[in-house]
């Protein structure tokens, strides 16, 4: 999650980033998905959220020779 705020002295926009560990029980998310996360009980030491829904899925394609599903992260 990226947040932009004004620096108090320099008065320029500063972007900060925060990564959240999310429990995905069905393993349906891939790198690049935009998701909604919900607060829940602790699943582990650092995991306090669970997957709510996939808002915007990343581009996925199926490799014809092996049948492996790949994703292209748009980051």
């Amino acid at each position: 999650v990226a947040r932009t705020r004004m620096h108090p002295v320099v008065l320029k926009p500063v972007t900060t980033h925060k990564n959240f560990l999310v429990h995905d029980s069905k393993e349906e998310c891939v790198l690049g998905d935009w998701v909604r996360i919900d607060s829940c009980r602790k699943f582990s030491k650092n995991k306090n959220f669970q997957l709510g829904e996939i808002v915007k899925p990343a581009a996925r394609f199926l490799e014809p020779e092996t049948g492996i599903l790949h994703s292209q992260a748009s980051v």
Side-chain angles (χ1 to χ4, degrees):
V1 178
R3 294 183 180 174
T4 304
R5 64 176 183 86
M6 293 298 284
H7 191 277
V9 176
V10 185
L11 299 178
K12 289 187 176 183
V14 177
T15 303
T16 58
H17 300 274
K18 172 71 176 160
N19 292 331
F20 294 97
L21 293 179
V22 177
H23 181 71
D24 183 13
S25 59
K26 298 177 186 174
E27 296 183 7
E28 53 191 13
C29 290
V30 295
L31 184 65
D33 285 346
W34 286 65
V35 298
R36 182 179 55 84
I37 59 176
D38 297 329
S39 181
C40 64
R41 65 178 178 84
K42 286 178 111 22
F43 280 100
S44 66
K45 180 180 176 182
N46 298 320
K47 205 184 293 184
N48 299 326
F49 301 97
Q50 66 182 359
L51 178 66
E53 66 174 330
I54 299 175
V55 177
K56 180 181 172 188
R60 296 177 169 94
F61 65 94
L62 187 65
E63 190 173 336
E65 294 114 21
T66 60
I68 298 175
L69 184 66
H70 295 281
S71 68
Q72 293 177 338
S74 59
V75 178

